[in-house]
């Protein structure tokens, strides 16, 4: 995700070791063979949470950028990570129409036509986070502004030092 790849270098500049867990990459390497049933989606997010907890345990800053449609599973991931460090849930918000406009793979168009079943936000639910630490409305903020808001929240929570130039 563009926002994650803007936040990561800023955290690295401030001395953090950053690992990215991108949803597509995880599905290729860690969750290969999983489909998109609720059970498989939950398994995928639980795996991301487990890997994030291991990296957090070792002092890494983990940016997990994955579609996580179910609140209960997000809370399981949070519990795994919080054993070892901070967990900040950022709801990167965009309407289904906006997601469809940005979709370079054409998956939303196929889902709207009924060619893909069980598509998050189309014919499968997306449960908005109940209590995220931050909501970034990407229809109101460009990626750079969204990244700035995330870094500011991390500063506010005491998870990264203030961005004074080195």
């Amino acid at each position: 995700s563009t926002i994650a790849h803007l936040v990561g270098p800023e955290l690295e500049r401030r001395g953090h070791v950053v690992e990215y867990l991108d949803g597509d990459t995880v599905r290729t390497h860690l969750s290969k063979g999983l489909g998109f049933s609720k059970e498989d989606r939950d398994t995928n997010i639980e795996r991301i949470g487990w890997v994030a907890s291991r990296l957090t345990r070792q002092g890494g800053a983990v940016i997990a950028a994955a579609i996580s449609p179910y609140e209960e599973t997000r809370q399981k991931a949070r519990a795994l990570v919080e054993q070892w460090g901070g967990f900040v849930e950022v709801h990167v918000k965009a309407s289904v129409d906006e997601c469809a406009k940005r979709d370079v793979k054409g998956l939303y168009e196929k889902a709207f036509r009924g060619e893909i079943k069980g598509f998050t936000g189309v014919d499968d639910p997306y449960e908005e986070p109940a209590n995220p630490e931050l909501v970034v409305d990407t229809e109101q903020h460009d990626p750079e502004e969204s990244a700035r808001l995330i870094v500011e929240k991390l500063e506010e929570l005491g998870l990264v030092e203030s961005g004074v130039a080195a």
Side-chain angles (χ1 to χ4, degrees):
S1 116
T2 303
I3 296 170
H5 286 94
L6 292 169
V7 171
E10 182 60 24
L11 299 182
E12 288 171 342
R13 186 183 73 76
R14 298 180 193 202
H16 295 270
V17 174
V18 178
E19 291 294 337
Y20 298 93
L21 297 177
D22 176 81
D24 287 341
T25 304
V26 168
R27 277 194 170 274
T28 299
H29 297 287
L30 183 64
S31 294
K32 189 174 185 170
L34 288 181
F36 292 91
S37 67
K38 181 177 185 326
E39 180 180 280
D40 284 356
R41 289 173 198 253
D42 286 346
T43 297
N44 185 52
I45 297 304
E46 288 170 12
R47 288 178 183 175
I48 289 171
W50 184 83
V51 171
S53 76
R54 302 292 90 197
L55 295 168
T56 301
R57 180 177 179 225
Q58 298 304 318
V62 180
I63 299 173
I67 297 170
S68 179
Y70 308 113
E71 180 70 18
E72 181 180 354
T73 309
R74 290 191 296 266
Q75 293 308 314
K76 286 180 182 177
R78 176 185 288 273
L80 287 169
V81 172
E82 284 184 334
Q83 295 176 64
W84 307 107
F87 183 100
V88 178
E89 183 175 20
V90 178
H91 177 195
V92 179
K93 185 176 181 177
S95 67
V96 171
D97 288 340
E98 186 62 27
C99 289
K101 287 180 198 171
R102 297 176 186 173
D103 179 21
V104 295
K105 298 177 188 176
L107 298 176
Y108 279 89
E109 186 178 321
K110 289 179 180 178
F112 291 145
R113 289 194 310 254
E115 294 172 22
I116 299 175
K117 301 290 183 197
F119 199 82
T120 299
V122 177
D123 64 346
D124 199 62
Y126 176 80
E127 300 171 358
E128 288 199 6
N131 294 297
E133 281 73 13
L134 180 65
V135 176
V136 176
D137 187 338
T138 63
E139 293 180 52
Q140 303 297 318
H141 304 287
D142 66 20
E144 291 77 13
E145 177 70 6
S146 297
R148 186 186 63 73
L149 292 169
I150 293 167
V151 172
E152 284 178 359
K153 177 54 80 171
L154 295 173
E155 290 174 349
E156 177 187 315
L157 295 171
L159 296 171
V160 299
E161 301 234 355
S162 178
V164 178

